[in-house]
Amino acid sequence: MTHDKLPLEPLFDKIEELKPRFIDRLTRAVAIKSVSADETLRPEVAKMADFLVDELTALGFVDIQKKDLGIQPPPVNDPKLPLPPVVLARSGADSSKKTVLIYGHYDVQPALIEDGWNTDPFVLTHDTVKDILYGRGSTDDKGPVMGWLNVIEAHRQLGWELPVNIVCCFEGMEESGSVGLPELIAQEAKKYFSTVDATCISDNYWLGTRKPVLTYGLRGVHYYEIVVSGPAADLHSGIFGGMVGEPMTDLVKVMGSLVDSQGRIQIPGIAEMVAPLTDEEDKLYDPIDYSIDDLNDATGAKISLHDNKKDALKHRWRYPSLSLHGIEGGFSAPGAKTVIPARVSGKFSIRTVPNIEPRKLDQLVVDFCNEQFAKLGSVNTLKAQLIHDGNYWVSNPFNDNFTAAAKATVDVWNIEPDFTREGGSIPITLSFEQELGKDVLLLPMGRGDDGAHSINEKLDMSNYINGCKTLGAYLHYYAKQ
Amino acid sequence: MTHDKLPLEPLFDKIEELKPRFIDRLTRAVAIKSVSADETLRPEVAKMADFLVDELTALGFVDIQKKDLGIQPPPVNDPKLPLPPVVLARSGADSSKKTVLIYGHYDVQPALIEDGWNTDPFVLTHDTVKDILYGRGSTDDKGPVMGWLNVIEAHRQLGWELPVNIVCCFEGMEESGSVGLPELIAQEAKKYFSTVDATCISDNYWLGTRKPVLTYGLRGVHYYEIVVSGPAADLHSGIFGGMVGEPMTDLVKVMGSLVDSQGRIQIPGIAEMVAPLTDEEDKLYDPIDYSIDDLNDATGAKISLHDNKKDALKHRWRYPSLSLHGIEGGFSAPGAKTVIPARVSGKFSIRTVPNIEPRKLDQLVVDFCNEQFAKLGSVNTLKAQLIHDGNYWVSNPFNDNFTAAAKATVDVWNIEPDFTREGGSIPITLSFEQELGKDVLLLPMGRGDDGAHSINEKLDMSNYINGCKTLGAYLHYYAKQ
Ligand SMILES: [Zn+2]
Ligand SMILES: [Zn+2]
Ligand SMILES: [Zn+2]
Ligand SMILES: [Zn+2]
C-alpha cells in the first residue's frame, strides 16, 4: 500500500522527546495495584480511576465522569463491594470533526513476586540492555491507555489541535468479566457516545514478535454440557458391573462422536454455515509473519494439524473448532477406585465464525448429541444443552477505520501491517459495534510474547513509543478518510 | 438335597440358651472402636486384639500368638504407626481329626453418629420390635468372629469335644487392605497352618434378605490407565482450537471403543477365554432368590441390561465386565473454562472370571488401546497400562467343604442355600487357597441389606443366632465328610 503521507514528523519527534515523561507516566500507573480480581485491592482500583481523572484533567479533557456501576453481584466475599467506575471523558466537540471512541481498561491481572517475577511486578523496571519495560499492566492495558494520554500531551506541547474529537471510555473490571460495562454502553449510546463515528480498542497483541498487526475478527464461543444419568447413586463396579448400563460409557461415546482427531467437527450442518473464503480474504494470509515452527514453539510439542501457515491460521481464526474440556462426576483422583459414577457430565465448546447462526448451531449440536445417544440404545438418560455463549465479530479490514490504522502503521513501522484475527473472543468489541452501530478497530500496541497474564509481563520500549506514534497517526489519517 | 442328619439339637438348644451371653459378647466387641483406617484409633484396634486373646484364653484355646506385622508402610501420618497384630490360636491337636482354619477380621469401618446413625455406632443396640442388632461391626465382621467363639463356648458348656481341630486367624487391617497378611499366610503355611485341611471365611453376605447362601466364586479385577499427552502445558481453546490435536479428543475415542452401552466388551480375545457355562453351573442359578426388581431397588433406577434374573446374575458373577471410572486432567469444575488439557488420563477396570489369563488379558487390552489410537491418526501420544490387579477365585461348590456347609444350612434354616458368587474381589481368599493349597469356603452370616460399610450397620438377631448354629453344624458335617 502506498499512500499520501501526512506531515506527522513533528508529532513523532515530539513523542521521542517526551519519552522520559511517558515512561514516568506508565511507571506511576503500574505502581497502583489495580487488580480487579482481588477484593482487598478494590481501593487501589478506585485509586487508579482517580489517577486517570487527574491526568485527563491536566490534559484538558472535559465532561469527565466516574460512572458508578453499583455493587458487584455475587459471587463476592463482601456483599457491598463497589464495582470500579467507568471513566468517561471527552476532548473536543467540534461538529465538523469526526469523533473517535477510545476504549481501554485500567485494571490488571493479579501478580505476586513469589509467582516467579524477576522484578517487583508493581515497579515498572526498564531493562536498558534489551530496552524492555517490565511490570504488571505494562502491555495489558496500562501501556496502551497511557499511550492515548501521551498522544494528547504531545499534541498540546506541539500546540496542535487534535484532528478528531475524542471520547474516552476506560473501565476497571475487564480482567473480571467487564461486569456492568455492556449495560453502560447501551445506556450511553445515544447520550455520552451519541456523536461517535468509530471505536478504537488497543487491548490485544501482535500475532508474533516482529510485525505489527491490525485485528479485524474474533471467534465466538458456544459452551455446551452433556449430562448422562443412570442409577440413583454411585455403584460399586464389582457388584453392578455387567448388570447395568453405565453413564460414563454413554458419555464418552457421545463426546467421542463430536470431533475427529484431526479437529474436524462431525456435526452435520455446521461447515455449511461457514462463510466461504474469498480470494481477497485468502490473500490477507499470504504476508502474515507466522510459521508452523512458531506454533510448535508456543505449544512445546509438534502437534500441529496443518503443515502450512495459512491453513493453521485459517483454522485458528476463520473456521470453527470444537474442544472437549473435561468430564465431571467420574473418579478423577490418584488411585484405583472401582466406582460406576451415577451421573457424569461432559463439557465442550465450539468456536464460532461468520456466518454461523447461533440458535441454529445450538439446535444442530443438541440434536446431534440426542441422535448419537439414541443410536447407543442405552438404558440411561442424556441431556445436552448450551450453558454459555458469546458471538463472533468480524469487521471489514478495508474500511476507513482500518485503512487509517494501516497508513499510520506504515508511517511508523515502515511496513504494511498483517491483518489478523483472534481465535478467542473479546465480547466488549461486539457490544461497542452493536450498541453504537459504528466500526470497531483493534489496534494492538504490544507483541505476542508480552505475557499479558503471566509473570514478567513486559512491553518493549519500541512498541511503547512507536505505539504512541501509531495511535496518534491513526487519529490524523482517520480524520482524513 | 437330603442328607443323614447329625444329632445336633442339643447344640442348637444350647446356643439358644446362651443367647444373652452371645449378645453380651458382641456388645463388648462393638464397644471397642477398632477402626483401622483412623490412625488415632490404632490403640483401640490393639485393644480389640487383646479382647480376642482374653476370650480365646478363657475358651481354652492354646498357642495363642499376637503376630507382629511391623510398621505400617506409607502413606501414613505417623511414620512409626504399628500394624495391628494378627491373632493366631488353636483348639485341639488331634491328628485323627481334620483341621479347619477360621478367618475373620476384628477391625471395622469408620463410623460417626453425625454421619446419620440412628444410634451410637459403638453401642450395640437391640431393636426388640424388629429383633435387629445395630452397631458398627455387628455384621462386618465382629458378629461372625464372635459367632465362632460362641460355637466353642456352646461346646464347652455341653461338655462336647469339638469335631475338628480349629486354627484361628483374625486380622485387624482388613478394612485397610489387609496389609501384611498375605506375607504372614505365606510364612505360616508350613508352620502354624501346616495341618489345615480347609478354610472357612465368614465375611460376606447373603445375596438378598430372605435366603442363606454359600459363596463359591469372586471375580478378579484388572485396573488400567490410559494417558494421552500432547502440548507441554494446557492451552487456551480460543487461540489453539483448530490448530492442534487435542489429547481429550483422542482419549474419549479410545475409551469409547472399549465397551458398548449394553456392557459388551469390544476387545477381541477376552470372551474366548471365559470358561464355558456348564449345565450343572447353569442349574445353580435356577433356585436363586433374586429378581430384576431387586436389582432396580438396589440401583434406584431401571437400568438393568438384562430382562431376567439368571442373565443378570451371570453377568455379575461369571462373565467379565468393563467399567469406565473417570477422566483426570481435564476441566471438571463448575463453570465454563475453555481449556485444552495438555495431558489427560482415563481409568477403567475389567472384572475377571475363569479362565481369563491375567497377563494375556493385559496384553489384549494394551494392544487394543494402541490399535484404536493408531486408527485415529493422532499427533499426540498414548500410553495404556495396568496399574493394579487381583485375580478371580472360584471353588467347586460340590466339594466336601461346601457340602458340609450346605447340610448345616439345611439343618438350621430348613432350606437349601443358594450357591452364589460375588462380583467383587476378596483378595485374601485367594491367598489362603494358594498358600495352603486347600479349599476355601465363604459362609456368610448376615444379609444383603446389612449395610456393612454404611450408617446403621445391623445384624438380624435370627442371622446372629442361626449363624452360630450354622457355623457349629458346619464343623460337625465337615468332620464327617
Ligand atoms: Zn486487556
Ligand atoms: Zn488482560
Ligand atoms: Zn469384612
Ligand atoms: Zn468390610
Side-chain angles (χ1 to χ4, degrees), chain A residues 201-371:
Chain A
I201 298 178
S202 185
D203 186 26
N204 67 316
Y205 314 95
W206 294 358
L207 178 60
T209 60
R210 296 171 299 263
K211 203 170 167 193
V213 311
L214 302 178
T215 305
Y216 67 98
L218 302 164
R219 291 196 292 188
V221 62
H222 285 224
Y223 206 98
Y224 300 94
E225 183 178 46
I226 303 174
V227 178
V228 182
S229 307
D234 286 358
L235 301 176
H236 188 284
S237 70
I239 300 178
F240 293 97
M243 292 212 292
V244 300
E246 304 190 11
M248 183 68 89
T249 302
D250 301 331
L251 181 64
V252 297
K253 284 179 182 289
V254 174
M255 288 186 84
S257 71
L258 298 168
V259 62
D260 72 13
S261 290
Q262 284 65 48
R264 292 179 291 237
I265 297 174
Q266 302 294 298
I267 304 168
I270 296 178
E272 290 79 348
M273 289 193 284
V274 174
L277 181 74
T278 63
D279 283 349
E280 192 178 33
E281 185 192 343
D282 185 71
K283 285 201 188 79
L284 287 174
Y285 288 84
D286 287 317
I288 291 176
D289 182 30
Y290 193 73
S291 72
I292 298 299
D293 285 342
D294 289 334
L295 173 57
N296 291 343
D297 287 349
T299 64
K302 294 188 176 177
I303 55 169
S304 175
L305 294 174
H306 309 96
D307 60 6
N308 68 87
K309 167 188 85 174
K310 287 180 71 172
D311 282 343
L313 289 176
K314 285 173 192 169
H315 282 274
R316 172 169 171 170
W317 294 339
R318 64 107 53 226
Y319 290 115
S321 64
L322 190 156
S323 294
L324 307 177
H325 303 300
I327 287 178
E328 200 180 336
F331 173 63
S332 58
K337 192 173 171 191
T338 54
V339 66
I340 297 173
R343 182 182 182 281
V344 287
S345 65
K347 287 175 177 168
F348 66 97
S349 66
I350 296 178
R351 296 285 163 177
T352 65
V353 295
N355 298 315
I356 289 176
E357 297 168 41
R359 296 294 76 81
K360 186 171 170 191
L361 174 67
D362 298 340
Q363 196 61 52
L364 288 171
V365 169
V366 170
D367 287 350
F368 184 79
C369 291
N370 287 332
E371 281 160 24

Side-chain angles (χ1 to χ4, degrees), chain A residues 219 221 223 229-233 235-250 252-253 255-263 266 290 295 298-306 311-313 315-316 319-341 347 349 351 376-380 387-388 422-425, chain B residues 219 221 223 229-233 235-250 252-253 255-263 266 290 295 298-306 311-313 315-316 319-341 347 349 351 376-380 387-388 422-425:
Chain A
R219 291 196 292 188
V221 62
Y223 206 98
S229 307
L235 301 176
H236 188 284
S237 70
I239 300 178
F240 293 97
M243 292 212 292
V244 300
E246 304 190 11
M248 183 68 89
T249 302
D250 301 331
V252 297
K253 284 179 182 289
M255 288 186 84
S257 71
L258 298 168
V259 62
D260 72 13
S261 290
Q262 284 65 48
Q266 302 294 298
Y290 193 73
L295 173 57
T299 64
K302 294 188 176 177
I303 55 169
S304 175
L305 294 174
H306 309 96
D311 282 343
L313 289 176
H315 282 274
R316 172 169 171 170
Y319 290 115
S321 64
L322 190 156
S323 294
L324 307 177
H325 303 300
I327 287 178
E328 200 180 336
F331 173 63
S332 58
K337 192 173 171 191
T338 54
V339 66
I340 297 173
K347 287 175 177 168
S349 66
R351 296 285 163 177
L376 300 178
S378 171
V379 293
N380 297 307
I387 58 174
H388 164 77
E422 301 250 344
S425 56
Chain B
R219 292 196 292 187
V221 62
Y223 207 99
S229 307
L235 301 176
H236 189 283
S237 69
I239 300 178
F240 294 96
M243 292 210 296
V244 300
E246 304 189 11
M248 183 67 88
T249 301
D250 301 330
V252 297
K253 283 179 183 291
M255 289 187 83
S257 71
L258 298 168
V259 61
D260 72 12
S261 290
Q262 284 65 48
Q266 303 294 300
Y290 192 74
L295 173 57
T299 63
K302 293 188 176 176
I303 55 169
S304 175
L305 294 173
H306 309 96
D311 282 342
L313 289 176
H315 282 273
R316 171 169 172 171
Y319 289 116
S321 64
L322 191 156
S323 295
L324 307 177
H325 302 302
I327 287 179
E328 201 179 335
F331 173 63
S332 58
K337 192 174 171 190
T338 53
V339 66
I340 297 174
K347 286 177 177 165
S349 66
R351 297 284 164 176
L376 300 178
S378 172
V379 292
N380 297 307
I387 57 174
H388 164 78
E422 300 249 344
S425 57

Side-chain angles (χ1 to χ4, degrees), chain B residues 103-105 107-109 139-142 174-175 202-205 426 452-453:
Chain B
Y103 163 87
H105 64 88
D107 63 321
V108 295
Q109 284 280 319
T139 194
D140 180 22
D141 187 37
K142 288 177 174 173
E174 198 276 341
E175 301 294 3
S202 185
D203 187 25
N204 67 316
Y205 313 95
I426 307 179
H453 289 194

Side-chain angles (χ1 to χ4, degrees), chain A residues 4-23:
Chain A
D4 291 332
K5 289 202 176 183
L6 292 176
L8 298 172
E9 283 308 319
L11 176 64
F12 297 164
D13 291 344
K14 179 57 74 180
I15 287 171
E16 289 287 347
E17 180 194 325
L18 292 174
K19 186 165 139 182
R21 280 189 58 81
F22 295 169
I23 295 172

Side-chain angles (χ1 to χ4, degrees), chain A residues 11-26 124 126 131 133 138 143-144 146-148 150-151 154 206 408 412-413 445-447 459-473:
Chain A
L11 176 64
F12 297 164
D13 291 344
K14 179 57 74 180
I15 287 171
E16 289 287 347
E17 180 194 325
L18 292 174
K19 186 165 139 182
R21 280 189 58 81
F22 295 169
I23 295 172
D24 173 68
R25 178 172 279 126
L26 185 54
L124 188 74
H126 184 189
D131 210 17
L133 300 164
S138 56
M146 296 310 116
W148 289 114
N150 297 342
V151 167
W206 294 358
V412 174
W413 294 95
M445 175 178 273
R447 301 184 186 183
L459 180 63
D460 292 78
M461 186 70 82
S462 60
N463 282 61
Y464 188 40
I465 300 304
N466 281 346
C468 292
K469 294 178 190 170
T470 307
L471 297 178

Side-chain angles (χ1 to χ4, degrees), chain A residues 87-147:
Chain A
V87 176
L88 301 181
R90 62 174 85 248
S91 173
D94 183 339
S95 61
S96 71
K97 290 180 182 172
K98 293 187 198 168
T99 300
V100 174
L101 186 149
I102 289 161
Y103 163 87
H105 64 89
Y106 62 82
D107 63 321
V108 294
Q109 284 280 319
L112 295 169
I113 194 155
E114 306 91 90
D115 295 340
W117 285 73
N118 295 324
T119 58
D120 185 332
F122 296 104
V123 174
L124 188 74
T125 305
H126 184 189
D127 179 331
T128 53
V129 177
K130 296 181 180 166
D131 210 17
I132 291 176
L133 300 164
Y134 289 93
R136 177 54 88 220
S138 56
T139 194
D140 181 21
D141 187 37
K142 288 177 174 173
V145 170
M146 296 310 116

